Amino acid sequence: MADRLLAFDTASLYFRAFFGLPSTLRAADGRPVNAVRGLLDFLARFITDYSPTQVACGWDNNWRPTWRVDLVPSYKAHRVAYGVVEEVPADLVGQVPLILEVLAALGLSVIGADDHEADDVLGTFATVAGVPTDVVTGDRDLFQLVDDEREVRVLYCGRGVANHDRVDAAWLLAKYGIDGAGYVDFAVLRGDPSDGLPGVPGIGERTAARLVADYGDLEGIVAAAVSGRLSPTLTARLKAAVDYLGAAREVVAVRRDLDLAPVDLTLRAAPADPVRFAELAEELNLGGSAERILAAMNLRGAGPS
């Protein structure tokens, strides 16, 4: 079996599971477990469908890194509850430690980096893995990782896990008229309210895509404005946003060079700690979700049992 990495944007998936599955899914002691069960089902589905030999679960050690906030203070500011604490439903907060414990018992590697987001971890893996890589996420910003030459795709769950898109260069070209390399500058120009990035006022998705397609990158676009090749209106809008452009590009661009500790990503054929996983499956009433992840690992696992 040829090596293939399946890299998960873990929080993106467990948030989706939490809001997509009923809160009536509970452990024997009454604790909610819908995010735990839903995440396991998502992992099982993708492992079964994409046959990876390696699996990585990217983790947000900091969902709003200080260095990104220093560059663009509005970055994710609307998601803050108090100080730097993310506004997350209480029933989900309590499930996050359970998710970590279940993944550890399974032996699925959870990787984060101090003051960085899961996006940066996934960007680094996609760049240095050296094997075909599928990144599973609901975050469009990771479209910047798409690279046919390096065999990196994004499995985008924006329309749901069951209807996810296989985002490659052809998909991006059909959707936006750009490639993965142009996505960062496109996103900077267009903006993204979900991340608190305002974009350039007056430049929407179509204009942003056309500018990137015609002039390559922000430097080329600014040069076109300076040389009079853009309309006076566009030139004025870009000039007014020049300070934002450079800072936002650094915020949107995921890191690809994190110094991550060595970790064995090999997908096991059975849990690393089968006794503990069995205990958790019973305590948390994981039911069919536990059975499905075990079946997926047994079917696709290339590593030790």
Side-chain angles (χ1 to χ4, degrees), residues 2-302:
D3 284 337
R4 174 173 290 277
L5 170 63
L6 193 57
F8 293 99
D9 184 356
T10 313
S12 174
L13 294 178
Y14 70 62
F15 265 89
R16 183 172 294 275
F18 176 78
F19 288 106
L21 293 178
S23 59
T24 52
L25 293 174
R26 295 188 173 260
D29 61 5
R31 287 176 293 172
V33 294
N34 53 339
V36 183
R37 293 192 57 162
L39 176 64
L40 290 181
D41 283 340
F42 293 161
L43 297 180
R45 181 184 187 116
F46 282 107
I47 289 170
T48 300
D49 289 352
Y50 288 94
S51 305
T53 57
Q54 303 173 30
V55 169
C57 297
W59 197 261
D60 289 311
N61 277 21
N62 189 340
W63 66 280
R64 192 175 180 243
T66 53
W67 58 274
R68 283 192 165 107
V69 176
D70 288 343
L71 287 163
V72 178
S74 63
Y75 183 63
K76 295 185 178 178
H78 59 296
R79 303 188 200 175
V80 175
Y82 305 102
V84 296
V85 179
E86 186 176 15
E87 191 170 13
V88 178
D91 278 356
L92 176 55
V93 171
Q95 294 186 62
V96 174
L98 303 178
I99 288 169
L100 285 169
E101 193 170 0
V102 168
L103 294 177
L106 286 170
L108 297 177
S109 296
V110 176
I111 307 102
D114 289 346
D115 205 28
H116 287 86
E117 300 172 64
D119 287 7
D120 302 305
V121 173
L122 298 173
T124 298
F125 274 122
T127 303
V128 306
V131 300
T133 299
D134 288 320
V135 177
V136 184
T137 184
D139 185 352
R140 292 184 298 173
D141 280 347
L142 289 177
F143 290 173
Q144 64 189 271
L145 301 180
V146 169
D147 187 332
D148 283 5
E149 185 174 341
R150 301 171 72 99
E151 296 186 80
V152 178
R153 298 183 301 186
V154 169
L155 306 179
Y156 177 57
C157 304
R159 297 185 299 124
V161 168
N163 298 311
H164 67 272
D165 293 296
R166 297 182 179 92
V167 180
D168 56 12
W171 190 97
L172 285 175
L173 185 63
K175 178 74 171 178
Y176 301 113
I178 59 173
D179 59 12
Y183 192 84
V184 169
D185 290 340
F186 162 74
V188 168
L189 291 166
R190 177 202 61 196
D192 187 347
S194 68
D195 279 341
L197 295 171
V200 178
I203 294 183
E205 188 167 282
R206 292 178 61 182
T207 301
R210 176 173 57 80
L211 288 171
V212 172
D214 288 348
Y215 301 106
D217 55 23
L218 286 180
E219 285 81 2
I221 294 167
V222 170
V226 170
S227 63
R229 285 176 286 160
L230 300 183
S231 71
T233 299
L234 269 179
T235 298
R237 287 170 176 166
L238 290 166
K239 182 178 180 180
V242 67
D243 291 336
Y244 159 80
L245 292 176
R249 174 193 262 176
E250 199 168 340
V251 168
V252 174
V254 302
R255 289 285 302 275
R256 297 169 178 256
D257 60 351
L258 295 183
D259 185 16
L260 300 174
V263 60
D264 184 5
L265 301 179
T266 304
L267 177 62
R268 308 174 63 92
D273 188 341
V275 173
R276 183 54 184 150
F277 182 74
E279 290 172 348
L280 288 167
E282 182 174 356
E283 291 171 12
L284 303 179
N285 193 25
L286 299 182
S289 299
E291 296 171 5
R292 284 185 283 275
I293 189 63
L294 292 178
M297 292 173 66
N298 183 59
L299 179 64
R300 300 301 183 186

